Amino acid sequence: MFASRRVSELPPYVFADLDARISEIRARGGTVLDLGRADPDHEAPPELVRALCTAASAPSAHHYPPFGGLDELRRAVVAWYQDRHGVRLDPDGEVLVLAGSKEGLFHVSLAMCDPGDVALVPDPCFPAYRMGAYFAGAEVVSLPLRPEWGYLPSLTAVPEDLARRARILFLNYPNNPTGAVATASFFAEAVAFARRHDLLLCHDLAYGESGYDGYRAPSVLQVEGARDVALEFITWSKAFCIPGWRLGAAVGCRQAVAALRDLETQVGGGVFAAVQMAGAAALEDVARSGFLTAMNETYRVRRDRMTAALRELGFAAPRPRATPFLWFPCPDGRTAATYAAWLLGRCGVALAPGTGFGAGGEGYLRLSLTASTADVEETITRLRKVGPEALRRAAPEGPAAGGVEWRRLPPGGGAKVRPGVPRRRPHGAIQPDHPPDALIGSL
């Protein structure tokens, strides 16, 4: 029995592959400092755990929940948006509870796109945007995010014929993986672009509660008229340190909420009611308790320590205003896969190679500050032991030090793909112009 062609041609998910490599090294007695994943090291707030346990003790919590989400949680989201962003929402028509925002970001293309429609996707980006559009049969058009542009896409550079065919545009600020932030004027430009071309603007606000040095991230829904064309995705995973609970929401455009809800009724059964009740408590109580401020301060201290150390070692590491990510180039133009593998083999430090977020991430690494402070400090110690000269001259092409060999999975078995030009399979279905490269290897 064989998997479908669509599934069999998928590259491995970069973090699943990274987990496997780390597990293998640890199984052999090695130690790895994992600064590749964005899994918060903070414990979930105790009052949030108590709310979950209390809700789970009620017999009613163990029945099927409403597909759109509990009324208590949807109203808590509405109150949160009003208080945090000054945005008024209708809990019945403009809020949809999701089993994590990743699920919604993947499924929204299935809800909005037909085969052959265009999906405008930033590059680099969180892989779910691109892969959801791929499974919907959409033609993925990459919008480059360049440092000289502040990692904002140039919407005016989108050719008119592609813009007319576009059904969906993905944005994400504060940005994963670059740590960039967007201005209110950029969001206004994006909303105007979506309105002009009658497409859905999907904004991933996963890191909306992350901010340093006084920065607070805006919501795209603050732009006048945005609720007509924009759908914003939020998650409890990062802000409240509960990624394993799987809770998110989509808010905004009424028509998009309805379409996504219709899709979710076919593929899911809703979110455990006790998790939803705890999610409401997170917005009503925990968010106002000082927990978020304290967590951001912890990340700020780690950011300052790590960026100072990386610069001392010769890396061009910026200091982001938000997100727990440092995004910086490999030295001397090394490829992301080779350099990440070399670091893992040489000093047991795991960073995410930029190509895991798209071809636009080539030559970059993403370092996550969600590892513990002790691991951040130990990472600095290990890198200093290697030294700036060795770090700069490291990673020759070929097998990495330590016996780890990683290679990039070629799209479609090595077929050449011209950037920006979709590749058609023999039966005519459209594949993304460059699906997210993942790293595979053996120890």
Short mmCIF file of all heavy atoms in Angstrom, two decimals, residues 18-35 348 350 375 443:
data_model
loop_
_atom_site.label_atom_id
_atom_site.label_comp_id
_atom_site.label_asym_id
_atom_site.label_seq_id
_atom_site.Cartn_x
_atom_site.Cartn_y
_atom_site.Cartn_z
N LEU A 18 14.88 17.57 13.11
CA LEU A 18 15.84 18.05 14.10
C LEU A 18 15.68 17.28 15.41
O LEU A 18 16.68 16.88 16.04
CB LEU A 18 15.64 19.55 14.33
CG LEU A 18 16.69 20.28 15.17
CD1 LEU A 18 18.06 20.19 14.53
CD2 LEU A 18 16.28 21.73 15.36
N ASP A 19 14.43 17.03 15.83
CA ASP A 19 14.19 16.25 17.04
C ASP A 19 14.80 14.86 16.94
O ASP A 19 15.38 14.34 17.90
CB ASP A 19 12.68 16.11 17.28
CG ASP A 19 12.08 17.35 17.93
OD1 ASP A 19 12.84 18.24 18.33
OD2 ASP A 19 10.85 17.41 18.04
N ALA A 20 14.65 14.24 15.76
CA ALA A 20 15.19 12.90 15.58
C ALA A 20 16.70 12.89 15.69
O ALA A 20 17.29 12.00 16.32
CB ALA A 20 14.75 12.34 14.22
N ARG A 21 17.36 13.88 15.09
CA ARG A 21 18.82 13.94 15.16
C ARG A 21 19.29 14.14 16.60
O ARG A 21 20.24 13.51 17.05
CB ARG A 21 19.35 15.09 14.30
CG ARG A 21 18.92 15.07 12.83
CD ARG A 21 19.64 14.05 11.99
NE ARG A 21 19.22 12.68 12.24
CZ ARG A 21 18.07 12.18 11.80
NH1 ARG A 21 17.23 12.89 11.11
NH2 ARG A 21 17.78 10.92 12.06
N ILE A 22 18.59 15.03 17.32
CA ILE A 22 18.96 15.31 18.71
C ILE A 22 18.76 14.06 19.56
O ILE A 22 19.61 13.71 20.39
CB ILE A 22 18.14 16.49 19.25
CG1 ILE A 22 18.56 17.79 18.55
CG2 ILE A 22 18.31 16.63 20.76
CD1 ILE A 22 17.68 18.97 18.86
N SER A 23 17.65 13.36 19.35
CA SER A 23 17.36 12.15 20.13
C SER A 23 18.42 11.09 19.91
O SER A 23 18.84 10.40 20.85
CB SER A 23 15.98 11.61 19.77
OG SER A 23 14.97 12.53 20.14
N GLU A 24 18.87 10.96 18.67
CA GLU A 24 19.88 9.95 18.37
C GLU A 24 21.21 10.28 19.06
O GLU A 24 21.89 9.39 19.58
CB GLU A 24 20.08 9.84 16.86
CG GLU A 24 18.89 9.20 16.14
CD GLU A 24 19.14 9.07 14.65
OE1 GLU A 24 20.26 8.68 14.26
OE2 GLU A 24 18.20 9.35 13.88
N ILE A 25 21.58 11.55 19.06
CA ILE A 25 22.83 11.95 19.72
C ILE A 25 22.72 11.70 21.22
O ILE A 25 23.65 11.17 21.86
CB ILE A 25 23.14 13.42 19.44
CG1 ILE A 25 23.48 13.61 17.96
CG2 ILE A 25 24.30 13.92 20.30
CD1 ILE A 25 23.68 15.05 17.56
N ARG A 26 21.60 12.06 21.81
CA ARG A 26 21.42 11.86 23.25
C ARG A 26 21.37 10.38 23.61
O ARG A 26 21.87 9.97 24.66
CB ARG A 26 20.14 12.57 23.71
CG ARG A 26 20.29 14.10 23.74
CD ARG A 26 18.98 14.79 24.01
NE ARG A 26 19.18 16.23 24.21
CZ ARG A 26 18.19 17.13 24.20
NH1 ARG A 26 16.94 16.73 24.02
NH2 ARG A 26 18.46 18.42 24.38
N ALA A 27 20.79 9.57 22.72
CA ALA A 27 20.75 8.12 22.98
C ALA A 27 22.14 7.52 23.02
O ALA A 27 22.37 6.49 23.68
CB ALA A 27 19.90 7.43 21.92
N ARG A 28 23.10 8.13 22.33
CA ARG A 28 24.48 7.65 22.33
C ARG A 28 25.29 8.25 23.46
O ARG A 28 26.50 8.06 23.54
CB ARG A 28 25.16 7.99 21.00
CG ARG A 28 24.49 7.35 19.81
CD ARG A 28 25.28 7.58 18.55
NE ARG A 28 25.89 8.91 18.50
CZ ARG A 28 26.52 9.38 17.43
NH1 ARG A 28 26.62 8.64 16.35
NH2 ARG A 28 27.06 10.58 17.45
N GLY A 29 24.62 9.01 24.34
CA GLY A 29 25.30 9.59 25.48
C GLY A 29 25.78 11.01 25.28
O GLY A 29 26.42 11.59 26.16
N GLY A 30 25.48 11.60 24.14
CA GLY A 30 25.88 12.98 23.89
C GLY A 30 24.93 13.97 24.53
O GLY A 30 23.82 13.63 24.92
N THR A 31 25.37 15.19 24.68
CA THR A 31 24.53 16.26 25.22
C THR A 31 24.28 17.29 24.13
O THR A 31 25.19 17.67 23.40
CB THR A 31 25.19 16.95 26.43
OG1 THR A 31 26.41 17.55 26.01
CG2 THR A 31 25.46 15.95 27.54
N VAL A 32 23.04 17.72 24.03
CA VAL A 32 22.65 18.69 23.02
C VAL A 32 21.89 19.82 23.69
O VAL A 32 20.99 19.58 24.50
CB VAL A 32 21.77 18.05 21.93
CG1 VAL A 32 21.30 19.11 20.93
CG2 VAL A 32 22.51 16.94 21.21
N LEU A 33 22.27 21.02 23.37
CA LEU A 33 21.54 22.21 23.80
C LEU A 33 20.62 22.60 22.65
O LEU A 33 21.08 23.01 21.59
CB LEU A 33 22.50 23.34 24.13
CG LEU A 33 23.53 23.03 25.22
CD1 LEU A 33 24.58 24.14 25.30
CD2 LEU A 33 22.85 22.84 26.56
N ASP A 34 19.32 22.43 22.85
CA ASP A 34 18.36 22.64 21.76
C ASP A 34 17.84 24.07 21.79
O ASP A 34 16.94 24.41 22.55
CB ASP A 34 17.21 21.64 21.88
CG ASP A 34 16.25 21.71 20.70
OD1 ASP A 34 16.50 22.52 19.78
OD2 ASP A 34 15.26 20.96 20.70
N LEU A 35 18.42 24.90 20.94
CA LEU A 35 17.94 26.28 20.75
C LEU A 35 17.33 26.42 19.36
O LEU A 35 17.31 27.49 18.77
CB LEU A 35 19.08 27.28 20.94
CG LEU A 35 19.42 27.64 22.40
CD1 LEU A 35 20.08 26.48 23.12
CD2 LEU A 35 20.32 28.86 22.46
N GLY A 348 27.54 20.47 20.00
CA GLY A 348 26.27 20.02 20.57
C GLY A 348 25.26 21.12 20.74
O GLY A 348 24.44 21.08 21.67
N ALA A 350 22.10 22.92 18.89
CA ALA A 350 21.14 22.76 17.80
C ALA A 350 20.43 24.07 17.52
O ALA A 350 19.76 24.62 18.40
CB ALA A 350 20.12 21.68 18.14
N ASP A 375 20.73 26.88 29.68
CA ASP A 375 21.14 26.40 28.36
C ASP A 375 21.67 27.53 27.48
O ASP A 375 22.59 27.34 26.68
CB ASP A 375 19.98 25.70 27.66
CG ASP A 375 19.76 24.28 28.17
OD1 ASP A 375 20.56 23.83 29.01
OD2 ASP A 375 18.80 23.63 27.72
N LEU A 443 23.07 9.37 11.32
CA LEU A 443 24.19 9.42 12.25
C LEU A 443 24.94 8.10 12.19
O LEU A 443 24.35 7.07 11.98
CB LEU A 443 23.66 9.65 13.66
CG LEU A 443 23.17 11.09 13.93
CD1 LEU A 443 22.41 11.14 15.23
CD2 LEU A 443 24.35 12.02 14.00
#
